[in-house]
Amino acid sequence: MALTLVIGNKNYSSWSLRPWIAMKANAIPFKEVLIPLYLPGSSEEILKHSPAGKVPILIDGDERVWESLAILEHLAERFPDAKLWPADRRARSHARSVSTEMHAGFVPLRNHCTMNLWLPPKARPMPPDVLANAARIEAIWADCRARFGQGGPFLFGATFGAADAMYAPVVARFHNYGLPASAKTRAYMDAVMALPAWREWYDAAMQETWVMQHNEPDWPLVRGKPVE
Ligand SMILES: N[C@@H](CCC(=O)N[C@@H](CS)C(=O)NCC(=O)O)C(=O)O
């Protein structure tokens, strides 16, 4: 039975990117339904798929799974060969800890640096709580890479797994908002951004023309075109 993933538009929807890139990078087939966010009628359209009123939503036969981390758990059970969680128990516990820390936290970073792939990459002044979030994320990535990442370029080695997927939008935020990044952080970001799946999402985002109706002060306002 084919899976369907309901997502928001690719320029803005950081939560949608997580299961989408995990599935694409691991060749899990699915059909995509895209709902442009924050426009008149967007909420009603999302509610047709889930009473939670948020994307992403995975439709697997007669099952509906929502919340990005729950979707990743569902996929890990349905597609064990994809190895979305590490095989080693200690590594798996660690991967779940850092994934849940992302899911539940980093509010200053998420609020101040909302994902916007149109934003021209450059260093921007950041408040201390955002810089503290960024430093914690750099520490998480460095620790995962040092302890569990020997087999490849990702947090737990060769597989682009659930933990990498949870942090994929943060890679975009580091990139677009020019957050301070050590050489190790940059190397991890480069590995993620080199994925064909990343490129596919990014290229589609560049083609989008939907502009959310409550623009933030520092956001590009020209429809479909990145602006300084
Ligand atoms: N905790 C949720 C967050 C989902 C979420 O906030 N999605 C946003 C888009 S990235 C959304 O659906 N916004 C539409 C709305 O709030 O009307 C998850 O992990 O999936």
Side-chain angles (χ1 to χ4, degrees), residues 8-9 12-19 37-38 42-43 46 52-57 66-71 103 110 166:
N9 52 302
Y12 298 139
S13 190
S14 59
W15 293 105
S16 301
L17 171 57
R18 293 169 166 102
L37 297 178
Y38 312 119
S42 298
S43 304
I46 297 172
K54 302 274 183 202
V55 287
I57 303 145
W66 64 99
E67 288 289 332
S68 50
L69 194 49
I71 295 172
H103 194 251
R110 296 213 317 256
M166 286 304 294

Side-chain angles (χ1 to χ4, degrees), residues 157-195:
T159 301
F160 181 86
D164 298 290
M166 286 304 294
Y167 282 91
V170 176
V171 168
R173 289 170 165 126
F174 265 79
H175 179 70
N176 289 102
Y177 290 87
L179 296 174
S182 69
K184 283 181 186 166
T185 298
R186 193 71 238 177
Y188 174 66
M189 291 166 60
D190 288 347
V192 174
M193 292 194 292
L195 285 167

Side-chain angles (χ1 to χ4, degrees), residues 26-86:
N26 291 290
I28 298 172
F30 66 100
K31 191 176 128 221
E32 170 185 311
V33 171
L34 187 149
I35 300 174
L37 297 178
Y38 312 119
L39 298 176
S42 298
S43 304
E44 291 76 6
E45 204 51 42
I46 297 172
L47 283 167
K48 287 182 190 164
H49 299 279
S50 163
K54 302 274 183 202
V55 287
I57 303 145
L58 183 72
I59 304 170
D60 184 357
D62 60 3
E63 281 182 83
R64 306 229 156 200
V65 189
W66 64 99
E67 288 289 332
S68 50
L69 194 49
I71 295 172
L72 290 167
E73 290 286 6
H74 181 90
L75 293 169
E77 285 188 18
R78 284 276 272 111
F79 301 93
D81 291 348
K83 298 186 172 48
L84 290 178
W85 296 117

